[in-house]
Amino acid sequence: MNSPSTPDRDVLVDIRDVHFARAGRPVLQGMRLSVARGRITVILGGSGCGKTTLLNLIGGRLRPDRGEILVDGQSVPSLGTRALYELRKRMALLFQSGALFTDLTVFENVAFPIREHTRLPESLLRKVVLMKLETVGLRGARDLMPAELSGGMARRVALARAIALDPMMVMYDEPFTGLDPISMGVIAQLIRNLNRALGITSVVVTHDVAEAMTIADHVYLIGDGRVIAEGGPQAMQASSEEHVRQFLDGLPDGPVRFHYPAADYVDDLRHPGSRA
Amino acid sequence: MTDTAVHRIGRWALARIVRLGHATAFLHVLLVRSWRLPSRPGPAAAKAARLVVHQLFSVGVLTLAIILVSGIFVGMVLGLQGYNTLVDFGSEASLGLLVALSLTRELGPVVTALLFAGRAGSALTAEIGLMKATEQLAGMEMMAVNPMTRVIAPRFVAGLISLPLLAAMFTVIGIYGGYVVGVIQLGVDAGVYWSQMQDRVDFYDDVVNGLIKGVVFGFVVSWIAVFEGYDSVPTSAGVASATTRTVVSASLAVLGLDFIMTALMMGGS
Amino acid sequence: MLNNRLIEFWVGVFVIAGLVALTMLAFRVSNLTAMETVDGYKVTARFNNVGQLKVKAPITLAGVRIGRVSEIVFDSDKYQAVVTLEIDGRFRKIPRDSSASILTAGLLGEQYVGLEAGADEEFLRQGDSLMLTQSALVLEKLIGQLVANLASSSGKK
């Protein structure tokens, strides 16, 4: 762990002892993790364990109750609006839904951040957009509307839009969810290529173990609002720690209980009046 | 814990007040963003103008048909009802005056605002709510584009501009509706229809006051519509109920404000 | 989606139609033009009683509207009402000895000032004063007179 006074040049995102509660329910409790520059970091965790919250904290859309979040040496929670927007131009978040603008064509969607933040002449802008679309293999789909795209294609367009301004980092929120195996493979391939070819730091939040393990440089397993285990993909596969085993092997019961916390079963059945 | 009616009323009132606070804070940001739209540096101002023009299309132009059709019918009904009432007093010559005064002072701005809330206001709420539900607004934020400037403020400004113009068109077409029934059908003299109107409709007391109402209604209806959309629960049920709330609260606000403004204008003159 | 030029065109139509409607409200429906008598001139007339006459009431000559009442003030020396009549510049040739009376349009209508042309060779000019005036008829007084007349005529029988 680095001391706050000496930020590590190789660490792009540093999350230190972050606590966050939503509507009184704790989501993150003492989260600590760091993302290495130019690597693919995978954050694994069950549904509803605060993975998306974590990405929103890094992106500055939420503020932690306690703790520090450093991105490229800047403390995100203490940035003003202008500085935060400057920082956001250098990082992209790929939403699970894609979040494409439904009233714009594929081309205009990818052109959107370029039009907003630069003053490229139209001919140059066209070249940049087509290059980005070519990267994700959808140059031919430029005139389609988002409603005409399949789930996998929509996510690829969203990815092209995310890298339109050549960010230093892309965060992927559940990039594999709801895709067929081929589309999944395509997305995994793209994440790896963008990382290897362009050196884009990648943070992948997912619960899809198999795909995650194929692309990860470093894996964090989180649960109960904190990191349970971390390590390289091989080390994680070989781990005998019971949380890791339960998650990687998909066991229904283990340290993470099958039952949602509830009153005693027999008592509950005997008192029909109480619904809690 | 006992939950009496008093508790429930208290909780309801507190929730209303909190929501009003949110809406006010939202309005503050909205006004700042709207004000800054034209004052942004060169090309950004042109871009903002284009955004407002696009919204004028979906908010104003697309509402035009319903406004014109309603206007002509309201005017025709006024002509018919007014004639039948006035003819008993032998003063059907005042028909033009009656139609024009009813429309400029009350019906023009109020009916336009109600129709606007139903047609354009609900569409604004639904559109913004869906953009929120599909994470388009969040996506914009993460692309370092402020949705307040890019999405919300242009829609608000377009609503603010559209409503007074629509109200004026409603009033004029309504006066012609009254003309069709009163003059062409029932035989009131055309010259009398217009001259009585011109003699007694006052530009400041009637026309300008009606216009002020239009501007105020445009402000309130647009504010409610974009706030409900921006504040909606990002699910299909949430967007649906936000849309309903827009129509209900905007209509009530229009009718309530109309009473207050009318009282102030009558008292002042 | 419609293309930009079409949207711009329709928004242009919309804004122009709105402005035309506003202009019509100002000039065709309301009295904005009638209020500003172009190149007009003002004359005064004294009445013992103006009845319900109000500022902006029309002034007619032979039934044609030629101007508006621009001011009504009370002269505390003579206990009379001084009415300022603003007459449109198009009507310059009104004899100086014309008379003014306060008339009522219809049974329940608004009151207005009716001029009746005299025979003078000179015409009214800015600042002139009308000498011959007839006050508004007050309904109660009329009825009172009528009743008195009826009573006296029946008493003669």
Side-chain angles (χ1 to χ4, degrees), chain B residues 8-206:
Chain B
R8 253 175 269 159
I9 290 171
R11 199 162 53 225
W12 178 85
L14 283 175
R16 291 302 96 184
I17 291 168
V18 166
R19 213 173 141 67
L20 197 62
H22 285 168
T24 311
F26 173 85
L27 180 64
H28 172 76
V29 178
L30 179 62
L31 289 180
V32 170
R33 290 290 157 191
S34 302
W35 186 253
R36 282 191 197 158
L37 276 183
S39 63
R40 299 206 296 170
K47 195 185 278 177
R50 203 156 52 241
L51 288 174
V52 173
V53 165
H54 273 243
Q55 291 312 315
L56 274 174
F57 182 81
S58 48
V59 168
V61 176
L62 295 182
T63 317
L64 203 52
I66 189 177
I67 293 292
L68 295 184
V69 171
S70 313
I72 198 141
F73 278 116
V74 167
M76 284 162 73
V77 168
L78 274 177
L80 203 53
Q81 290 277 14
Y83 181 83
N84 283 327
T85 310
L86 290 172
V87 81
D88 290 344
F89 300 98
S91 43
E92 66 270 23
S94 303
L95 183 66
L97 175 65
L98 181 137
V99 171
L101 279 187
S102 319
L103 283 167
T104 50
R105 284 187 183 170
E106 290 295 332
L107 292 175
V110 171
V111 176
T112 304
L114 294 179
L115 292 171
F116 185 85
R119 171 65 181 79
S122 59
L124 280 181
T125 305
E127 190 188 14
I128 295 170
L130 278 175
M131 288 185 83
K132 186 180 179 187
T134 54
E135 293 181 313
Q136 292 182 46
L137 295 184
M140 226 176 245
E141 262 180 58
M142 285 307 298
M143 282 185 267
V145 176
N146 193 330
M148 238 17 204
T149 306
R150 185 68 173 64
V151 176
I152 313 289
R155 283 167 171 74
F156 174 75
V157 171
L160 192 60
I161 296 173
S162 295
L163 214 160
L165 294 180
L166 288 168
M169 291 186 233
F170 183 97
T171 304
V172 168
I173 199 100
I175 288 170
Y176 277 99
Y179 181 88
V180 166
V181 169
V183 176
I184 297 177
Q185 208 184 325
L186 298 172
V188 173
D189 183 66
V192 170
Y193 186 86
W194 290 113
S195 66
Q196 280 263 352
M197 193 186 299
Q198 285 171 354
D199 266 6
R200 302 281 301 283
V201 176
D202 188 83
F203 179 69
Y204 297 101
D205 284 352
D206 302 318

Side-chain angles (χ1 to χ4, degrees), chain A residues 26 43 48-49 54 56 94 134 161 172 174 181 201 248 255 260 266:
Chain A
I43 299 170
C49 73
L54 191 61
N56 281 329
L94 187 73
E134 178 69 17
R161 188 178 65 178
Y172 302 87
E174 301 282 9
T201 306
L248 296 194
Y260 192 82
V266 177

